[in-house]
Amino acid sequence: MATQLPVAPPHFQHKLSLLSPSQQTLFSATASYHKSVPYQAQRTKKLTLKVCKNSLTMTSFDNAAESYKSAITTAASVAASLMLMRGVLNELVPPEVRTMLFSRLGNLRSCMSMQHTIVIDQKIDAFTNNHIYTAVKTYLATRINTNMQQRLHVSSVNENEKMLVSMAEGEEMVDVYDGTEFKWCLSVQVNPVKRDSSSHDNGSQQEVCSFELSFHKKHKEKALKSYLPFVVSTAKAIKDQERSLQLHTNQYSNWVPVDLHHPSTFDTLAMDQKLKQSIIDDLNRFINRKDYYKRIGKAWKRGYLLYGSPGTGKSSLVAAIANHLSDRSILVVEDIDCSIEMKERESSEANSSEEMKERKVTLSGLLNFVDGLWSTSGEGRIIIFTTNYKERLDPALLRPGRMDMHIHMGYCTPESFRILANNYHSIEHHATYPKIEELIKEVMVTPAEVAEVLIRKDDTDVALHDLVDLLESKMKDADEINTRHKDESKQLDEKKDDSNCDQA
């Protein structure tokens, strides 16, 4: 039986007929196998699976794109609706009602929010600084992590002061207190400065700083009653530790501060011990009587007048008071008899306007400042006046309420001499003490003159003998002056007698 050749394309028919019978039989068997398991079907199946996979992938991408478009469309629609509602509200709803609605919405949002915020402004009003703000700034400066903060604010008063590193605007930091996290943020707003119509500078702006303290609402009581008081007390301890006295002087209508390093204290002050103790007691009593002054309806202020010859220690007493009351501000008017125009108020009112312009400080203005309404602008105020000539001051300035305590700074006494000797040479007694103390009782020598002699020599014996020489020289001069005065008085008496005889 002849082998049946498989059906082949016409161009293969001639080539198949040229094969031998065995070759044709092999070709036929091969063709039959491929017919039973078609290769094209297998390839078609693989291609179909791959196309299905790609179709599923494309379908998922299309679905995601459609969802994104739908979300964008919805957001745009909501935004447009909100803008439309806002326009309608602005057009139809009065401002008062809008303010009330927004306030209610804000309150609702606050009630729903788990975070609460306390705002601490830098100023209470245009003239009063917020003590809490200053305390927070001091406290955070010691807690700030310079490695974590991207932006820092660095400042220094002068080249001798250490740099103060603090938070910059918009920065945040977290402080942990008693296991609770409190977040701090510094915000700054720029507000226009309101001026009257006559002012030409209407474009000025003012920065308003504030700290914002955020925390979980369940910790509000801890924040108000525990954490913030802790911040204030810690800041006070830091200030007390780093406190330095400053002397503010008025130069060309500006107050310029400089550090005050005067070493004078009540322990080193050459003064009668009873008078010294009375001053200390009066200062302490005044500082501790804030509630008492409020109860009796009297301004909480105190005035002191220091008077005496030059070199008697008025400036040293002022420095000792400043060191004793290191946390208080003291206003000092030195040589008040030379600082203001000491004329009667009636006559000063009659002066021309040009004279009033030339005089910067008048007696009337000083009296109003010391005892007028301006005197109540600050609490715990201490005012100290000094003068070499008390008799030149107007009686209205000397009365209680303006100069409450008058302190006479006299010449050196045996007691003040011993204090000076101990200050300069660290000795309690010396063989020259009896003679020096006897001479000091007889002559008028200021503590400044005694101190100058003691500071010149390191050798105690030499310094004290020089002081004896000074006192004896003053004693001799005083005797000569007394003798000359007696002679002059005697001559005047003789002239009067001669004149009376001639008249007789």
Side-chain angles (χ1 to χ4, degrees), residues 459-471:
D459 191 305
T460 302
D461 294 334
V462 176
L464 292 175
H465 281 95
D466 287 348
L467 180 57
V468 172
D469 294 339
L470 172 67
L471 296 174

Side-chain angles (χ1 to χ4, degrees), residues 335-353:
D335 298 322
I336 187 174
D337 55 295
C338 303
S339 302
I340 63 174
E341 192 72 22
M342 286 296 176
K343 294 183 179 180
E344 295 294 335
R345 281 170 288 177
E346 292 78 5
S347 61
S348 64
E349 293 174 355
N351 290 337
S352 64
S353 59

Side-chain angles (χ1 to χ4, degrees), residues 5 8 50 67 109 203 211 241 250 260 281 284 287 290 303 306 325 337 350 385 397 401 411 422 449 453 482:
L5 295 173
K50 186 178 292 185
S67 299
R109 184 179 60 184
F211 283 109
Q241 185 176 2
N250 189 273
L260 179 63
D281 293 342
N284 293 339
I287 293 301
K290 177 180 179 180
L306 314 183
L325 304 175
D337 55 295
F385 302 93
L397 192 61
Y411 290 102
N422 189 39
E449 291 176 304
V453 175
N482 290 333

